[in-house]
Each structure stands twice: as C-alpha cells, then as structure tokens.
Amino acid sequence: DLVNVLIFFTLFLSLFLRIIWLENIPGINADEAWYGIIALNIINGDFSQLVTPSGNLLNPFYILPVIVLHILFAPSFLLLRVASLMSGILLIIFAYFTIKDIQNKKMALVVALMIAILPLNIAYSRFGWDTSQSVLISCVVIYALLKPKWILLVFSTLAAVMIHPTNIGLFIFSLLYIFISKFSKAQYSKEKKVLSILISSIVLLILTTIIYI
C-alpha cells in the first residue's frame, strides 16, 4: 500500500544520499587523508603513529576496516569513507531492532526512519573519521541501559571511549541513569526510564557545558 511505498522510498533515498558521489562530496579533509596515510604506513610495517596528533589512541573500530580495505583495493578517497558509511547504515538497522525489542514495531519503524533521514546522520556517513561511529555506539550504550544488559553496557562504554575520548560523556550518562533508577523504589517502568534519561541528559548537558567553558 501507499504507506509501505513511502517507507521504502524514504529508506532508499536515505541510502542513496549516503552513497552518491561519496568519494567526492564533501571534499576530502586533512583528518580523512591522515587516516589513509596511517593505514598505508601500518600495512608497510610502520607502527610509529598509533596516536592522533592530538594525543588520542587510534580508533581500532575505524582504522582496522580502513587497513583491510587498503589491503584488498587500491587506495582511494572512497575507501576512507566506507567504514563511516557502514556505521551509518548499521545505525539504522540497530535502532530498528533494538527499539522493536524495547517498545514495538511501529515505534521502531518511526525511530529508524527519523535516523535514516536526519541530515546530520547522512553527513556523518559521508565523513571518513572516527567520530562517525559515535552515534552507533551511543545507541548500543542506551540499549544496554534500558534492557538492562550490564556486560554489554561495560563493553559498549569502553568501546565508545576507544572510538573517541569525548564519548566519556556516555559513561557519566550511564552512571547518572543507574543512580536515578536504582535509588527509586519502583521497578524499571517506562515512566521511570524516560524520567531517568531526561534528568541524566540535563545533568550531563550542564556538566559538559561547564567543562568546555
């Protein structure tokens, strides 16, 4: 019916906007080129640069796919962005199945479509840098909190910090959420989850604003 056609068209359009002219738009920036050089150096046995110019450890979830792609194919701007593209696509799929698990199929579809067409998510699927994976890992952390799945929460939070140090905010967010949830007499009701997320987000926003100021 018409609804299914619109859903298919929306998903197709979001995928098309992520892929079309990926090697040219936007223009390659210095960070993307740097990752390509590091990948080629590692392939050639040079492991002297395992940290970024700002002192952060290389994101293994980004650099490893880039290395594998450069082993299999000739170097190109397109290869620098494939990892980010796949992260953006996995984000849509992961969001759908996790929301379906927590809520229902209709809510999952709405969230997945919103994530698919959000311009910021499309843009980050087209930039070849490690922070493009932050939204995906953030969804994993939030899913682990809501279920709750504590082992998954620990490993996903660690992975988030490995992806980029600024994701340490997810650790603070998780602690706030757990604190608010555990010190409430009610069980994990939907209302408590929503309230915990809202309060945790507000406190986290205040803390990060103070830190950056």
Side-chain angles (χ1 to χ4, degrees):
D1 56 10
L2 180 59
V3 174
N4 290 331
V5 171
L6 290 175
I7 292 172
F8 175 81
F9 175 77
T10 301
L11 292 174
F12 175 81
L13 180 62
S14 69
L15 183 62
F16 176 80
L17 292 175
R18 283 170 166 80
I19 295 176
I20 186 70
W21 299 314
L22 184 61
E23 70 278 11
N24 297 321
I25 300 176
I28 298 295
N29 61 48
D31 288 346
E32 294 177 287
W34 184 85
Y35 264 105
I37 293 172
I38 297 303
L40 292 175
N41 288 343
I42 292 175
I43 291 172
N44 293 322
D46 181 3
F47 295 89
S48 61
Q49 289 183 291
L50 297 180
V51 296
T52 66
S54 58
N56 301 327
L57 290 175
L58 288 178
N59 171 11
F61 305 103
Y62 177 77
I63 192 64
L64 289 178
V66 173
I67 291 172
V68 172
L69 287 170
H70 278 79
I71 292 174
L72 298 176
F73 305 100
S76 68
F77 291 148
L78 177 63
L79 295 186
L80 301 176
R81 294 173 168 173
V82 171
S84 297
L85 172 64
M86 296 308 299
S87 296
I89 295 174
L90 284 175
L91 171 62
I92 301 171
I93 299 172
F94 182 82
Y96 174 80
F97 284 104
T98 53
I99 298 300
K100 181 181 177 182
D101 183 33
I102 296 171
Q103 293 289 328
N104 53 66
K105 185 176 180 180
K106 181 179 292 186
M107 178 64 71
L109 186 58
V110 170
V111 172
L113 289 175
M114 290 179 64
I115 289 176
I117 63 175
L118 189 67
L120 185 62
N121 285 338
I122 294 175
Y124 265 75
S125 294
R126 300 181 64 88
F127 279 110
W129 51 29
D130 44 9
T131 50
S132 293
Q133 299 176 325
S134 291
V135 180
L136 175 60
I137 196 63
S138 297
C139 287
V140 178
V141 171
I142 293 174
Y143 171 72
L145 277 171
L146 294 178
K147 280 302 292 182
K149 294 179 179 291
W150 304 121
I151 296 178
L152 177 62
L153 176 62
V154 171
F155 282 101
S156 60
T157 304
L158 290 174
V161 177
M162 293 173 67
I163 287 173
H164 200 275
T166 54
N167 290 330
I168 191 66
L170 288 169
F171 175 72
I172 301 173
F173 174 87
S174 299
L175 289 180
L176 289 170
Y177 177 85
I178 294 171
F179 177 82
I180 294 169
S181 299
K182 288 298 183 181
F183 281 82
S184 174
K185 293 182 179 179
Q187 295 299 314
Y188 278 86
S189 63
K190 291 182 180 180
E191 293 77 11
K192 189 178 68 171
K193 290 178 181 179
V194 173
L195 180 61
S196 299
I197 290 176
L198 287 176
I199 296 176
S200 301
S201 300
I202 293 172
V203 174
L204 178 59
L205 178 61
I206 295 172
L207 289 175
T208 51
T209 301
I210 293 174
I211 292 172
Y212 277 100
I213 291 176

